[in-house]
Amino acid sequence: MLVPVDRAHLMAASTTQTFVQPSQDAQLPPSSEPRKRKRRAGREAGEKAGPKAGTSKAAADAPPAPPAPWSWKSLTDSSTSRVAPVFTKDGSYFFSAVGSSVKIHSVATGEIVSTLEPPSSSSEGRVSYSDAVTCAVLNPHNPYQLITGSSDGKIRIWDFLDAVLLQTINVSQSIYQLAAHEKFPGSVIVAAKKERNGKGNGTASEDSMVVLRVSLNPTSATARLPIQVSAEVSHVGRTRATTGLAFSPSGAWLVATAGHKAYVCSTADFKAGFTKFVSPQSLTCLAFSPSEEYFATGDSTGCIRLWYCLNERATVKTVGVEKTAQTTTLHWHAHAVSSLAFTANGAYLLSGGEESVLVIWQLHTGKKEFVPRVGAPVVHVALSTPVNGEEEYLLSLADASFVFINSGTLKISRSMARIKLDPAISHSRPSASTAVPLAVHPSTSTLILPSSHPSSLQTFAPSTSKLLSEIEVSPSNRVSRRDEKPLEPSRVECVVMSDSGEWMTTIDSRVGDEAFRGEVYLKIWWWDHKSEYWILNTRIDRPHGLMKVTGVAFNPGMKTKESLLLVTTGSDGNIKTWRIRSMKTKSGGSDAFWVARSTFRFRSEIPTHVSWSPDGSLFAVSVGLIKAVSSARFVGRNGRYLAVTGVRDLMLWDLVTQSMRWQHHSSGAIERLVPHPREDTFALFVHPPRANSDPPMTSVYVFRPSSPSPSSTWTLPFHLLNVSHVPRGLAPSKPASFSLVGITHAWSVVVFGDEVTLLEDEGAHARRVDKDGGSRRRTLFQDIFGKSAFADFAPESSTSTAAPDRAQPWRGKEVAAIFDAPAYLMPPLEMVFDTVMDGFFTARSAEDAAENQDQEDEDAVMDVDEDDAPVVPAPRIERVVDKTEMDALVTSSSSMYSKHLHRPNQRPHTNAAASPSPSPLAATKLNGGVSKLQTLSSAELSPLVKTGKKRKKSQLSGPSEGESEEGSIL
């Protein structure tokens, strides 16, 4: 259905709507003969237009050219790390494993400084679990080497400083856990999946594993090969699927957790095997105390147990008997505990889980502290003990981000994230929602993507690979479950941007249940250019009742607010238009908000899609008259053509001749159609038929209006949930090229097309790592009192080449962060005053200093006699005023006041002081430097008073003969 839009008002739907018949199987109106003649005339016009127009369906079904892979690059990792972060010995870097690669992060900056990739790394876009890294530890005999184990059965030893793979040992069994200790040089302990022998097809058991001691020394036959075989592999014991494997700090015990049991083995005799201790619940994680011989486990119900069974008497094996151990139970978590970690002194235990809360347990008292709302469920907890700083806790979250917690303040100090992932699909879990929001903000060339919670959006800058902000579209409680039943969160289903980038529309909804009524909200946001953030302008509750909103679109090319329109379609059958309304405020300004403009419908059909013509004069609505129609989009620079898609059919309509130009039948299900923004071409995304075992694939056909045969065919190794054109900064150099951004079913954000241009991250490939990480040496003051709260604001050294050219303002958040430190860590004011004040001023450059010095030299020139001696201050003369001198001062003051009263015509001084009267006691100068009194001789005056400012008089004297005393007063 085509609807013309009048800029002033919208006419009635019955007089403006024109139905475009998309196929010959459509139900014709009663007067169908004129329609047939028009369609026949349209075909004749198409045949005259060119040899390719009006091509038959048989020609359209001709096999296209062999498809070629379309170039693409991923902006993020498709899943979170399954391996706990591992810190270097000095705490300057930490490792995170994603897929088959290991990324090295800088603790100070959060940037990825290097990436360790094996030679046979997978080239596919999704994570390949056949060679994914599953465990990693530092080499206890060389702190600059990292040992990793992967699901392809290989143990790799890396020199991470030089980014060199030193050794690869093939165990031929999938490795899931790895442990090493300095007490056992040249060997490691691995937990591998046990292979069945003699039965079936040799597949591995689902939950059967074997713990092996593997020597790192290769056999002589494989010593020179790239992939070596261990010279000795000894059997330790069998377990269920392991969730933890670790040595005790002394190396005397090896513990593995699997299922409902804790497996304990004395390292003095590995051949004796494991002693099993039963747990009432299945165990999920393991951690050893660094100070005492006991370990902690977490289980699926949220309980934490401290096991005291590491002694010879408790580990005596009894055939056929599973033992119980003395334990201490700590319980706060409502769901499974995902990770545990002890502090360096063993006094505290850290735990995290699905609640998105870090819990700090004080073990000797049982008390606990919390760090709530860390952003997403906690997957791993690690401890950082850098040499030049205080202890920090690192949380690896389910949305692929990292959060540092300050151990002194128990507050989030910094976070590291690129694109946050939805926790509902982390670790290959399917998403409960199929609608995925995606938009491009043209003003800032950024992407609007779904965030770690379904009710939020995030803003990502592809040019800098930085996460700029997060928008909580629907404020919601982040409680994960209620009575073990997952809560259905509010989900953002759609986000649409206006051409100017000033307005953004979102649709968020929540499905109701027995205790809660469903919600649907249409929210329109305004872009604040000053704060560079989205501000909610209008919220419309239930725009189409409780029914789903099926389509949202802004009209393009509008330069004024009055001409901007928004169209929405819903499952209630209504088509609504919205406009901006302005209202004057009491302060004299204007307030703009959105209101409904019109509502209409097409018979009793359900609209499913809406799109605008390039000039904004028409919009097309796909309705349910023909169930096969899924969308209709305008094609071309002037919008002459309308491309209509069904389940497997594509039809192109010429709006000028009101006829179908051609039809194309696809061999697979049509996913979506994307028109080119500047050319008369469009891309059709199709899911080709495949077997269940085949990897997902998408075929892309590029069409022109002149032919039903695709001009080019491409393939992508993934399915797409949503597609949009790339931001302006990533646009291709050739105007006719396609360059798109999309979200895959594996929740990876990818850029693909004819020209894919992305800035390479500095640490995207293997590169040499700085040994000290750029850390500074601790001072004695920091060793005693800890890191100064003002350490981050200390001025740079004089050797720095990038000196600031202007003063930086002191921000409120920085001031607040300073006073978060405990009072006993705050240095005295005398030590920090200069540092704080230097932050408000700018150091003068050499040129400014020379110019100011010249000005000071000019100001220093005074009109003084060259033969005068320099002024030297004399010692102060202490003098006591006696009664005689005081009486003389009173008499002089009285006489002056009397003289003023006898002069009525004299104008008084503004300071209420009368003119001085002659006094026989004093001769006074205006500068107050000399006063000759009867009790003070000239010899008693100080040299400074004698000198004063240079005058013509060289000595002090009373009035001369014949001169009145009044005339001597200057």
Side-chain angles (χ1 to χ4, degrees), residues 936-942 946 956:
L936 182 62
S937 63
S938 174
E940 295 176 354
L941 295 177
S942 67
K946 290 181 180 180
L956 298 175

Side-chain angles (χ1 to χ4, degrees), residues 45 96 110 153 216 220 314 406 465 516 524 607 653 726 760 829 841 855:
S96 67
L216 299 180
S220 57
N406 187 284
S465 298
F516 182 80
I524 304 175
W653 287 83
V726 295
E760 287 289 342
L829 181 61
F841 300 99
Q855 184 68 26

Side-chain angles (χ1 to χ4, degrees), residues 21-345:
Q21 187 175 0
S23 71
Q24 297 180 0
D25 299 332
Q27 181 181 358
L28 297 177
S31 58
S32 60
E33 187 63 23
R35 298 276 185 176
K36 292 180 180 180
R37 285 196 295 266
K38 287 184 179 181
R39 186 166 58 252
R40 189 179 304 112
R43 285 199 298 267
E44 294 174 358
E47 292 173 358
K48 294 179 181 180
K52 294 184 179 180
T55 307
S56 63
K57 185 176 180 180
D61 293 336
W70 222 1
S71 60
W72 63 276
K73 291 183 179 180
S74 178
L75 295 178
T76 184
D77 302 314
S78 58
S79 65
T80 56
S81 175
R82 297 190 174 201
V83 182
V86 178
F87 281 91
T88 57
K89 199 72 173 179
D90 60 351
S92 301
Y93 303 98
F94 70 90
F95 306 92
S96 67
V98 178
S100 60
S101 61
V102 178
K103 298 183 182 297
I104 306 178
H105 302 256
S106 171
V107 173
T109 63
E111 300 292 335
I112 299 176
V113 298
S114 181
T115 301
L116 307 178
E117 293 182 347
S120 59
S121 178
S122 174
S123 60
E124 297 184 359
R126 61 191 182 281
V127 175
S128 178
Y129 293 101
S130 61
D131 57 353
V133 176
T134 57
C135 47
V137 295
L138 282 181
N139 190 342
H141 303 284
N142 190 338
Y144 302 115
Q145 292 182 0
L146 182 71
I147 305 176
T148 63
S150 56
S151 54
D152 61 353
K154 295 181 176 62
I155 300 174
R156 294 180 174 90
I157 302 177
W158 300 85
D159 182 351
F160 60 83
L161 290 181
D162 295 328
V164 176
L165 178 60
L166 302 177
Q167 187 180 10
T168 302
I169 296 178
N170 191 3
V171 184
S172 301
Q173 299 183 59
S174 299
I175 300 173
Y176 287 89
Q177 300 288 340
L178 188 147
H181 195 274
E182 59 184 3
K183 188 177 178 181
F184 306 99
S187 64
V188 294
I189 305 295
V190 299
K193 182 171 288 188
K194 181 182 177 182
E195 300 290 344
R196 291 180 179 177
N197 296 323
K199 288 186 178 182
N201 55 1
T203 59
S205 174
E206 292 295 330
D207 57 355
S208 179
M209 288 192 178
V210 58
V211 179
L212 306 173
R213 182 181 180 184
V214 181
S215 173
L216 299 180
N217 298 321
T219 60
S220 57
T222 61
R224 296 182 179 275
L225 298 179
I227 300 178
Q228 303 169 350
V229 178
S230 175
E232 180 182 1
V233 177
S234 58
H235 182 272
V236 178
R238 298 177 182 178
T239 66
R240 296 284 187 176
T242 56
T243 57
L245 180 68
F247 280 103
S248 63
S250 63
W253 303 95
L254 175 68
V255 176
T257 55
H260 289 71
K261 299 180 181 64
Y263 299 81
V264 180
C265 175
S266 174
T267 58
D269 185 12
F270 282 108
K271 296 182 180 180
F274 289 113
T275 302
K276 303 176 185 178
F277 293 90
V278 180
S279 168
Q281 302 295 335
S282 60
L283 303 178
T284 57
C285 52
L286 168 69
F288 256 103
S289 171
S291 57
E292 300 180 38
E293 292 291 321
Y294 71 91
F295 60 92
T297 61
D299 63 27
S300 57
T301 62
C303 289
I304 300 173
R305 287 181 173 83
L306 309 180
W307 299 70
Y308 305 98
C309 58
L310 300 182
N311 54 73
E312 297 295 340
R313 184 177 60 181
T315 55
V316 175
K317 296 183 64 175
T318 304
V319 179
V321 177
E322 295 179 344
K323 296 188 175 184
T324 59
Q326 179 184 359
T327 61
T328 299
T329 303
L330 307 172
H331 194 186
W332 177 87
H333 294 275
H335 311 298
V337 182
S338 60
S339 183
L340 294 172
F342 282 88
T343 57
N345 56 7

Side-chain angles (χ1 to χ4, degrees), residues 662-684:
W662 50 258
Q663 180 181 358
H664 174 84
H665 183 76
S666 173
S667 59
I670 297 177
E671 186 180 69
R672 62 178 39 84
L673 185 145
V674 179
H676 196 283
R678 295 173 298 275
E679 299 293 328
D680 293 341
T681 58
F682 57 93
L684 186 70

Side-chain angles (χ1 to χ4, degrees), residues 402-416:
F402 297 95
V403 172
F404 278 91
I405 308 295
N406 187 284
S407 61
T409 62
L410 294 184
K411 292 185 178 181
I412 297 177
S413 58
R414 60 193 182 278
S415 61
M416 305 174 184

Side-chain angles (χ1 to χ4, degrees), residues 409-598:
T409 62
L410 294 184
K411 292 185 178 181
I412 297 177
S413 58
R414 60 193 182 278
S415 61
M416 305 174 184
R418 289 187 63 186
I419 296 180
K420 297 183 178 181
L421 303 176
D422 188 347
I425 67 162
S426 297
H427 304 300
S428 301
R429 289 178 290 177
S431 175
S433 175
T434 57
V436 176
L438 173 64
V440 174
H441 189 207
S443 301
T444 58
S445 298
T446 56
L447 296 176
I448 308 297
L449 302 168
S451 186
S452 58
H453 195 272
S455 63
S456 300
L457 297 174
Q458 57 184 331
T459 304
F460 178 78
S463 59
T464 59
S465 298
K466 299 292 184 182
L467 187 64
L468 302 182
S469 62
E470 190 168 0
I471 309 168
E472 192 174 19
V473 177
S474 177
S476 58
N477 192 352
R478 302 303 174 93
V479 175
S480 54
R481 285 184 284 177
R482 178 184 62 189
D483 299 331
E484 296 302 320
K485 180 181 179 181
L487 296 178
E488 182 63 26
S490 179
R491 296 183 177 273
V492 182
E493 298 180 350
C494 177
V495 56
V496 178
M497 197 77 58
S498 64
D499 278 1
S500 63
E502 188 175 0
W503 299 96
M504 179 180 69
T505 298
T506 60
I507 302 293
D508 62 278
S509 63
R510 179 178 176 183
V511 180
D513 53 17
E514 299 82 3
F516 182 80
R517 187 181 180 184
E519 297 176 346
V520 180
Y521 295 107
L522 169 65
K523 297 178 181 179
I524 304 175
W525 306 74
W526 175 72
W527 176 253
D528 187 1
H529 294 275
K530 293 183 178 179
S531 63
E532 294 187 349
Y533 198 77
W534 291 103
I535 298 176
L536 181 61
N537 178 269
T538 305
R539 192 190 79 174
I540 302 169
D541 299 356
R542 297 183 291 276
H544 291 269
L546 292 177
M547 307 301 290
K548 181 180 179 181
V549 179
T550 58
V552 183
F554 282 101
N555 60 337
M558 300 297 107
K559 298 182 179 180
T560 61
K561 292 183 179 180
E562 291 75 14
S563 60
L564 186 62
L565 293 178
L566 176 69
V567 178
T568 61
T569 60
S571 298
D572 60 348
N574 290 328
I575 303 169
K576 295 186 178 183
T577 62
W578 311 82
R579 67 178 179 88
I580 298 177
R581 181 179 178 182
S582 299
M583 180 180 293
K584 292 185 177 180
T585 60
K586 295 181 180 180
S587 60
S590 62
D591 190 9
F593 55 94
W594 289 76
V595 296
R597 181 176 183 265
S598 62

Side-chain angles (χ1 to χ4, degrees), residues 680-910:
D680 293 341
T681 58
F682 57 93
L684 186 70
F685 292 78
V686 178
H687 289 172
R690 64 182 182 92
N692 295 331
S693 59
D694 294 341
M697 183 175 293
T698 301
S699 298
V700 184
Y701 303 97
V702 179
F703 289 91
R704 296 183 181 276
S706 59
S707 173
S709 299
S711 60
S712 59
T713 305
W714 309 94
T715 59
L716 294 170
F718 42 73
H719 288 171
L720 293 164
L721 297 174
N722 204 344
V723 176
S724 178
H725 291 280
V726 295
R728 182 174 49 196
L730 302 178
S733 59
K734 299 179 180 179
S737 299
F738 267 99
S739 188
L740 305 171
V741 60
I743 301 177
T744 68
H745 275 80
W747 217 261
S748 176
V749 182
V750 295
V751 177
F752 56 93
D754 298 328
E755 297 182 23
V756 178
T757 56
L758 289 178
L759 296 177
E760 287 289 342
D761 293 339
E762 186 178 359
H765 304 286
R767 58 187 296 268
R768 184 177 176 83
V769 178
D770 188 10
K771 187 174 181 178
D772 58 0
S775 59
R776 298 181 180 178
R777 184 181 180 86
R778 286 173 61 93
T779 62
L780 179 61
F781 181 84
Q782 291 174 344
D783 290 335
I784 299 175
F785 299 102
K787 182 181 177 181
S788 172
F790 296 93
D792 296 335
F793 310 107
E796 297 181 356
S797 61
S798 58
T799 60
S800 176
T801 59
D805 57 352
R806 62 185 180 89
Q808 297 292 334
W810 193 271
R811 297 178 175 86
K813 291 183 179 180
E814 296 173 351
V815 176
I818 290 173
F819 293 99
D820 285 341
Y824 60 85
L825 292 180
M826 297 292 294
L829 181 61
E830 294 80 1
M831 299 186 63
V832 299
F833 179 80
D834 293 337
T835 304
V836 175
M837 296 307 297
D838 288 343
F840 292 94
F841 300 99
T842 305
R844 294 185 301 176
S845 62
E847 294 79 3
D848 295 339
E851 183 179 353
N852 293 339
Q853 182 64 33
D854 295 341
Q855 184 68 26
E856 292 177 359
D857 295 341
E858 294 178 1
D859 296 340
V861 178
M862 298 177 60
D863 184 16
V864 297
D865 296 337
E866 296 182 357
D867 55 349
D868 289 342
V871 179
V872 179
R876 183 178 178 181
I877 301 176
E878 297 293 339
R879 185 170 60 85
V880 179
V881 180
D882 56 5
K883 186 175 183 301
T884 305
E885 186 176 355
M886 182 60 68
D887 293 340
L889 180 62
V890 172
T891 304
S892 175
S893 301
S894 300
S895 61
M896 292 173 60
Y897 180 69
S898 300
K899 187 175 182 180
H900 176 71
L901 292 178
H902 288 87
R903 295 182 180 181
N905 296 330
Q906 185 179 1
R907 186 177 179 179
H909 294 280
T910 57

